[in-house]
């Protein structure tokens, strides 16, 4: 309780920024089960620019040309407003600034966007507002202002503590700089800092990984995101590997690295709550949890994705929406009609359930019956999966658990989730549309 | 239609080696006679089947009636398009029986090829007029003079009778039409004779029933007539008659010499047998001589999917309907020691089988597993010593001209059934071509080889192999399976065994980690697509013990052999 109050007091107050309405004390109220799904959403804002492209990256990111900052900021605000209006949500539960490199944006841009949100809907002080940070000295220097602007959680892309690895991955910071950024972030937002680290890097061994992880755990805060480096077509790393200049660790090695990491983190008091995410002291990312729980989210910015019901247009079904990829084109569209939505696809009942299933199973707690019921009031998890022989096989071999809490993977099942999901999807299809030919 | 007395009718086919330009010439003829408008889009108009369009080949013979004016007279020319691939020579022979002449097309650069010769002999044996047409004279390497010499030497046809054309550009194609009128005799038979028609092909239409392609050999028939099928002695009433231009053009009557279609209330595939004779109820006639039934060269056993409720009657019905349209496929219920109970479908070749399978899926939505093609073996019950056969015995060699030689060998069919053609083509840079015919049975040293997945035998993959080949075949099959079976959550052992002795083995490692690292709001769309595709794939898989095997694995095992 006291920690909460201290935390609130330590946030700077600035005029024309967030409105401090009621002080909600408990975090739980934001996820009150009585709130229907379509009344609230989380907000994702995409800042598309980076100074360089890392060799492994295939995200929607661009090198900025000229001074797009102002226009981009304006357009982000405009699209935020338009889509909030369209969704008719009364409350935004969390905000996530991703990219690209959002820490390249001006803190005032962040502030303006948050202000746009609070003017239109309820944005509680308790709402988690995360900013992804590239840990260069420049980024570090801006942290304080970001915090003043309303950011209360930082996600730092450390990736590796080996300087030569950072170089060959095309990163533009050293490990020392990353650690310094981490320190500053912890100072500003204690217990609200996450670090991203990568395993399965070229030339990495299980031993070097284990020791690197231990080093990291000595200095990090309460949240760790652990990602396996994957080769994506069209990236420079892909070309290098296929050209034979770089060697990736074998599948067996990376499988071992993952298992070793899970165990190490557990030993250090971290609770794995999702395939790649680990937290202690209740510092789970509420924003990301909202994806995995199937809640609505609004995506703003070039290439952003959203899932919400456009009540403002009289819509009744949840839509999968994508904003235009290219920043320049996106900017034009936002200026012309208020938003740059490129694709909208209505999700049918089955498709929605499929998404809830696939996302939910990524959490170690899996899908609980109450949450499933929100999406599938007619058919429970037991009714859908209980009788299937394939499903029972998975239970018997210890990959899956279905009990009175809900459906989830076991420790070992989680590592094989993508082998399990197609089986579950076949069963789900069968039960929802028993006679359909597909 | 009566303005076309028999003497103004010409029935002809176009025959040729594959890709020498039959279908293009057919397009040109259709354009020139106004059957289709002259546009760019007239590429292989007669290839109606989806599978034909996709592969760029003609599978099923189609027919078109053309009107042509020559010397002030109007003629009715009935054109039958035919396939060129070595697998489909039976289709060609059936079409020929309805014709009096053929256009034999030869590529001006490639010259006489294997199918040219084969088709020539078919036409020659049927005593049809043969008009040699040298095509593709527009191409750079065309050498019509040389080809004319070949034709003289191999077919004994004077070079003056050859026509030189470019079907693609339309050059000299008019001369083709003139030659058809002038050189091909009109059909025999007259209108005053009793009605007699040959069923030379048929289709099944879901709403209208069996549509039979008929060639009227004598007399006339009109709507409402009562006709009889010689084969079944069943009577039918003619519901609809017409010409094919190439689409259906209904008419009241058809006359002797004409070729067209008929719908007569036949509902079952078995009622319109290819080769059957039709006549008027009151005037029975001598049935036309039957066809030589096609000899299947390649066999496939099909396992029927249990859950096939999307097609009424199941796969059996679909197969029956498809075989109506393709009577060169033989269908038998079978139960053999080696292969167990099931079906045996016989095809003329691998391409024939693949096309059939594709049509089954596309046209009838039937999803089946095709398994090892086998060649028929006769089992010798006597305990005589088995003679070890040599794999190929040379029979003779003929030099066609300074550049070409034709060689005849005796092969065990098993040696050529899968990929001999492909290898031959690639070794000879495409120049070599080959044709085959059945040469009877020979004794050989054979054994039964099983394929096991995690200890369980896969019945569909059990094969009979020559002892010499057992190890290499077994090894190759295991390797192919390893490539086509996806990894699973446990290890998979693939084994080839003779009796209890394992002679080859491959292993597929288990997944230790298979989960997408990042899955946030923007990643879900892509991930769902991938997962759903995998889920669909899973539905089509066959479970052997605890191993999920995709359908393709069965087929890919057959396309084996050393690369």
């Amino acid at each position: 309780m006291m920690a909460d109050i201290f935390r609130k007091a330590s946030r700077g107050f600035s005029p024309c920024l967030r409105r401090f309405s009621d002080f909600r004390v408990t975090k739980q109220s934001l996820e009150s089960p009585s709130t229907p799904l379509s009344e609230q959403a989380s907000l994702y804002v995409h800042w598309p620019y980076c100074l360089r492209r890392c060799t492994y990256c295939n995200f929607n990111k661009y090198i900025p040309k000229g001074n797009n900052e102002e226009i981009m900021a304006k357009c982000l605000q405009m699209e935020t407003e338009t889509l909030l209006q369209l969704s008719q949500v009364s409350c935004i539960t969390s905000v996530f600034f991703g990219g690209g490199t959002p820490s390249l944006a001006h803190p005032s841009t962040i502030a303006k966007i948050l202000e746009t949100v609070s003017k239109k809907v309820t944005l509680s002080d308790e709402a988690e507002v995360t900013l992804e940070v590239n840990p260069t000295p420049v980024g570090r220097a801006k942290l304080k202002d970001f915090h003043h602007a309303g950011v209360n959680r930082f996600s730092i892309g450390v990736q590796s503590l080996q300087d030569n690895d950072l170089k060959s991955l095309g990163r533009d910071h050293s490990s020392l700089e990353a650690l310094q950024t981490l320190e500053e972030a912890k100072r500003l937002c204690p217990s609200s800092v996450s670090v991203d680290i990568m395993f399965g890097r070229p030339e990495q061994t299980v031993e070097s990984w284990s020791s690197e992880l231990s080093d990291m755990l000595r200095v990090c805060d309460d949240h760790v995101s652990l990602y396996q480096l994957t080769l994506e077509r069209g990236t420079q790393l892909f070309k290098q590997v296929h050209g034979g200049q770089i060697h990736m660790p074998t599948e067996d090695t990376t499988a071992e690295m993952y298992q070793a990491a899970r165990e190490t983190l557990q030993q250090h008091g971290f609770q794995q709550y999702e395939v790649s995410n680990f937290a202690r002291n209740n510092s789970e990312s509420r924003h990301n949890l909202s994806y995995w729980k199937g809640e609505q989210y609004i995506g703003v910015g070039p290439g952003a994705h959203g899932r919400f019901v456009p009540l403002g247009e009289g819509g009744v079904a949840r839509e999968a929406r994508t904003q235009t990829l290219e920043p320049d084109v996106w900017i034009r569209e936002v200026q012309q009609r208020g938003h740059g939505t490129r694709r909208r696809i209505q999700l049918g009942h089955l498709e929605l359930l499929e998404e809830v299933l696939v996302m939910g199973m990524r959490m170690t707690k899996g899908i609980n019956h109450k949450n499933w019921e929100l999406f599938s009031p007619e058919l429970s998890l037991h009714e859908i999966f209980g009788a299937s022989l394939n499903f029972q096989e998975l239970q018997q071999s210890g990959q899956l658990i279905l009990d009175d809490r809900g459906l989830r993977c076991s420790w070992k099942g989680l590592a094989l989730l993508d082998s399990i999901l197609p089986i579950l999807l076949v069963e789900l299809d069968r039960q929802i549309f028993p006679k359909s030919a597909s | 239609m009566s303005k076309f007395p028999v003497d103004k009718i010409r029935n002809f086919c176009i025959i040729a080696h594959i890709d020498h330009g039959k279908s293009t010439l057919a397009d040109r003829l259709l354009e020139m006679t106004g059957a289709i408008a002259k546009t760019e889009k007239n590429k292989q108009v007669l290839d109606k089947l989806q599978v034909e369009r996709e592969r760029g080949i003609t599978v099923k013979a189609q027919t078109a009636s053309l009107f042509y004016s020559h010397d002030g007279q109007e003629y009715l020319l009935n054109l039958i398009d035919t396939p060129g691939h070595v697998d489909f020579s039976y289709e060609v022979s059936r079409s020929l029986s309805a014709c009096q002449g053929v256009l034999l097309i030869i590529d001006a650069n490639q010259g006489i090829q294997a199918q040219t010769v084969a088709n020539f002999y078919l036409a020659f044996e049927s005593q049809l007029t043969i008009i040699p047409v040298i095509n593709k004279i527009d191409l750079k390497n065309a050498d019509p003079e040389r080809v004319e010499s070949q034709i003289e030497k191999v077919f004994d046809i004077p070079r003056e009778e050859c026509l030189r054309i470019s079907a693609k550009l339309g050059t000299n194609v008019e001369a083709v039409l003139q030659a058809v009128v002038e050189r091909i005799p009109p059909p025999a038979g007259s209108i005053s004779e009793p009605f007699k028609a040959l069923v030379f092909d048929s289709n099944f239409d879901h709403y209208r029933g069996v549509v039979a392609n008929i060639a009227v050999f004598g007399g006339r028939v009109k709507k409402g007539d009562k006709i009889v099928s010689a084969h079944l002695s069943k009577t039918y009433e003619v519901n609809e008659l017409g010409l094919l231009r190439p689409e259906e053009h209904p008419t009241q009557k058809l006359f002797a010499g004409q070729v067209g279609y008929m719908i007569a209330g036949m509902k079952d595939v078995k009622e319109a047998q290819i080769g059957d004779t039709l006549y008027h109820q009151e005037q029975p006639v001598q049935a036309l001589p039957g066809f030589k039934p096609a000899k299947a060269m390649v066999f496939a056993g099909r396992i029927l999917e249990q859950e096939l409720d999307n097609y009424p009657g199941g796969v059996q019905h679909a197969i029956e309907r498809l075989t109506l349209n393709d009577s060169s496929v033989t269908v038998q219920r079978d139960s053999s020691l080696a292969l167990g109970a099931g079906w045996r479908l016989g095809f003329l070749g691998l391409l024939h089988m693949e096309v059939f399978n594709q049509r089954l899926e596309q046209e009838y939505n039937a999803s089946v597993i095709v398994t090892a093609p086998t060649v028929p073996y006769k089992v010798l019950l006597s305990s005589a010593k088995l003679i070890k056969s040599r794999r190929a015995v040379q029979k003779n060699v003929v030099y066609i001209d300074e550049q070409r030689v034709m060689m005849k060998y005796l092969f065990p069919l098993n040696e050529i059934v899968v990929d001999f053609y492909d290898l031959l083509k690639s070794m000879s840079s495409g120049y070599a071509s080959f044709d085959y015919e059945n040469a009877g049975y020979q004794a050989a040293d054979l054994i039964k080889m099983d394929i096991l997945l995690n200890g369980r035998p896969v019945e569909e993959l059990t094969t009979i192999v020559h002892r010499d080949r057992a190890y290499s075949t077994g090894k190759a099959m295991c390797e192919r399976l390893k490539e086509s079976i996806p990894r699973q959550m446990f290890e998979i052992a693939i084994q080839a065994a003779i009796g209890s002795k394992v002679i080859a083995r491959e292993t597929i490692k288990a997944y230790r980690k298979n989960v997408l690292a990042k899955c946030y709001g923007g990643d879900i769309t892509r991930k769902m697509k991938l997962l759903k595709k995998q889920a669909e794939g899973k539905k089509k898989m066959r479970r052997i013990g605890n191993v999920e095997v995709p359908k393709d694995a069965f087929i890919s095992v057959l396309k084996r052999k050393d690369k």
Side-chain angles (χ1 to χ4, degrees), chain A residues 85-96:
Chain A
Q85 172 71 27
L86 185 59
S87 71
Q88 297 268 293
V89 296
S90 54
C91 158
I92 288 290
T93 52
S94 61
V95 182
F96 194 101

Side-chain angles (χ1 to χ4, degrees), chain A residues 124-397:
Chain A
S124 154
D125 299 334
E126 288 297 315
E128 179 187 272
V129 178
T130 312
L131 182 87
E132 276 183 341
V133 176
N134 189 31
T136 60
V138 168
R140 170 175 162 218
K142 291 158 86 172
L143 289 181
K144 192 151 125 215
D145 292 331
F146 282 125
H147 185 53
H148 283 185
V151 173
N152 56 25
R153 184 172 178 272
F154 291 111
S155 172
I156 308 195
V158 175
Q159 314 305 357
S160 163
L161 289 179
Q162 315 281 21
D163 280 320
N164 47 355
D165 276 359
L166 288 172
K167 257 216 178 60
S168 63
L169 290 174
R171 305 286 293 169
D172 56 356
H173 59 88
S174 68
S175 66
L176 178 60
E177 286 163 348
L179 290 172
Q180 288 168 337
T181 311
L182 180 54
E183 277 313 302
E184 175 71 2
K186 272 162 55 173
R187 190 182 71 78
L188 291 166
C189 300
S191 193
S192 299
V193 178
S194 172
V195 295
D196 278 5
I197 21 178
M198 225 182 238
F199 68 94
R201 308 194 304 257
E203 322 295 345
Q204 203 181 26
T205 64
V206 181
E207 296 76 34
S208 68
W209 164 241
S210 289
S211 78
E212 186 179 350
L213 187 57
S214 304
D215 289 343
M216 181 74 75
L217 292 178
R218 270 195 281 276
V219 294
C220 69
D221 197 20
D222 286 340
H223 189 283
V224 172
S225 295
L226 201 62
Y227 298 122
Q228 179 175 340
L229 179 58
T230 42
L231 281 182
E232 302 284 354
R233 274 217 129 80
T235 61
Q236 200 183 343
L237 183 64
F238 187 88
K239 290 193 194 79
Q240 286 166 331
V241 169
H242 276 243
Q245 299 120 314
I246 290 193
H247 301 280
M248 300 290 280
T250 65
E251 245 192 69
D252 276 352
T253 309
T254 49
E256 255 192 80
M257 286 181 184
Y258 182 59
Q259 293 296 74
R262 290 169 92 187
E263 281 158 15
T264 308
L265 281 157
Q266 192 179 51
Q267 284 154 16
H268 281 78
F270 284 83
Q271 175 93 297
Q272 181 176 19
Y273 68 100
E274 190 261 357
V275 171
S276 304
N277 286 282
F278 302 75
R280 58 184 176 193
N281 297 331
N282 288 332
S283 64
E284 290 88 352
S285 162
R286 295 207 305 279
H287 184 84
N288 290 334
L289 275 172
S290 71
Y291 293 139
W292 300 316
K293 286 189 177 161
E295 291 169 23
Q296 291 197 134
Y297 51 99
I298 301 173
V300 167
H305 287 242
R307 293 280 191 283
F308 61 90
V309 183
L311 293 172
E313 274 176 3
V316 293
R318 182 183 283 203
E319 287 181 355
R321 301 170 68 103
T322 318
Q323 309 309 100
T324 299
L325 237 46
E326 275 233 318
D328 294 338
V329 183
W330 176 83
I331 286 172
R332 267 204 302 279
E333 289 177 18
V334 173
Q335 287 169 334
Q336 278 165 14
R337 52 190 177 103
H339 66 108
T341 306
R342 175 56 60 91
R343 265 173 69 127
R344 315 166 37 176
I345 301 178
Q346 276 196 13
L347 292 176
H349 181 56
L350 176 60
E351 285 164 290
L352 185 52
L353 288 181
E354 286 173 340
E355 284 195 4
V356 172
L357 178 67
V358 167
M359 290 301 244
M361 291 301 284
R362 292 185 64 88
M363 298 185 285
T364 51
K365 288 200 179 132
I367 306 169
N368 70 44
H369 292 295
K370 255 212 176 108
N371 203 33
W372 182 256
E373 204 182 356
L374 290 175
F375 298 96
S376 172
E378 345 70 34
L379 279 175
S380 71
L381 292 166
H382 281 289
E383 284 167 310
I384 294 175
F385 296 111
S388 147
L389 288 173
N390 285 335
F391 183 83
Q392 284 166 12
E393 241 176 34
L394 289 169
Q395 281 178 303
Q396 276 148 21
S397 59

